[in-house]
């Protein structure tokens, strides 16, 4: 806890420190990390009734979403010694987006094929299980570019690949959490591009056929514990000081 607090304090004291909107989210993220570390130290994993993160961070260009991802990585890497690709993963739809956050594309990391063959559209379960052995945080950037079919397949893959023992996959009542109980933070701007192929997340949920796509729509549009648990709206422009350009973005 002390190490995490020191890293967070250094982030807040840096020249590019978080604004109030960003800081509130980071404090929320930090609390979850501390809770899980404490439960692990006390051999009480999944004993607390608090749900893992299933959060959406929304903001138009220049409001600091990518910077927020960098700070989350700093907390996990420097504060906990976690390794990208083992305890946490940063994902995006396109190569350029993934490179911007030093992560992977969803297809590359998950093994979900871009063109399903022989009816197999979710990839190799054994390889996925290895990747999810210690996975605790999934960060999805540019969520508006993900089709409901792809997001549904990713949720299914992580949920199925996550083991039950020693994880947050199952609740006390026996129900299975979305994404197998991993903490999920989705960042994006729904005013930007829709997916090139597939169904947009802002489509009418009632018009989506049953399946993995329908399941992913429930994350956004249903009620209950397996929908977005906390929404964060970033409004303060931090990338540019040009008044005219910022007003144009708004």
């Amino acid at each position: 806890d002390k190490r995490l607090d020191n890293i967070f304090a250094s982030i807040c004291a840096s020249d590019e420190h978080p604004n109030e909107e960003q800081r509130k989210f980071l404090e929320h993220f930090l609390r979850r990390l501390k809770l899980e570390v404490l439960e692990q130290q006390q051999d009480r994993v999944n004993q607390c009734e608090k749900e893992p993160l299933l959060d959406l961070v929304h903001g138009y260009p220049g409001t600091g979403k990518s910077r927020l991802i960098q700070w989350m990585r700093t907390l996990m890497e420097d504060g906990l010694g976690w390794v990208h690709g083992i305890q946490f993963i940063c994902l995006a739809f396109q190569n350029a987006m993934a490179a911007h956050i030093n992560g992977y594309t969803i297809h590359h990391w998950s093994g979900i094929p871009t063109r399903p063959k022989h009816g197999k559209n979710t990839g190799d379960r054994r390889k996925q299980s290895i990747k999810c052995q210690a996975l605790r945080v999934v960060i999805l950037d540019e969520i508006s570019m993900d089709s409901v079919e792809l997001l549904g397949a990713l949720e299914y893959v992580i949920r199925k690949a996550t083991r039950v023992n020693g994880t947050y996959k199952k609740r006390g009542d026996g129900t299975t959490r979305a994404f197998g109980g991993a903490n999920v933070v989705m960042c994006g701007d729904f005013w930007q591009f829709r997916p090139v192929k597939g169904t947009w997340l802002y489509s009418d949920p009632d018009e989506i056929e049953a399946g993995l796509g329908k399941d992913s729509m429930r994350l956004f549009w249903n009620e209950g514990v397996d929908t977005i648990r906390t929404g964060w709206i970033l409004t303060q422009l931090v990338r540019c000081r040009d008044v005219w350009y910022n007003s144009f973005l708004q």
Side-chain angles (χ1 to χ4, degrees), residues 164-221:
V164 175
N165 294 331
T167 71
Y168 295 83
K169 182 173 183 174
K170 295 283 188 178
R171 298 185 181 89
D173 62 4
T175 57
T176 301
R177 291 185 170 100
F179 291 96
N183 295 287
V184 178
V185 179
M186 295 176 275
C187 301
D189 173 12
F190 282 104
W191 290 104
Q192 294 191 42
F193 293 119
R194 303 184 182 195
V196 177
K197 291 183 179 180
T199 309
W200 194 33
L201 283 164
Y202 259 34
S203 302
D204 186 340
D206 293 333
E207 296 179 359
I208 308 300
E209 295 182 1
L212 296 181
K214 185 82 167 183
D215 293 343
S216 71
M217 292 291 274
R218 293 192 182 102
L219 298 173
F220 288 81
W221 304 113

Side-chain angles (χ1 to χ4, degrees), residues 72-73 76-77 82-90 109 134-139:
M72 281 191 278
R73 290 190 63 146
M76 292 185 287
E77 292 173 332
W82 285 4
V83 178
H84 184 249
I86 298 180
Q87 290 92 351
F88 76 97
I89 191 70
C90 296
W109 178 80
L135 186 66
R136 287 308 314 133
V137 175
V138 179
I139 299 172

Side-chain angles (χ1 to χ4, degrees), residues 93-110:
F93 175 68
Q94 292 182 329
N95 280 316
M97 299 170 181
H100 185 59
I101 58 172
N102 197 22
Y104 298 106
T105 66
I106 293 173
H107 288 291
H108 175 80
W109 178 80
S110 68

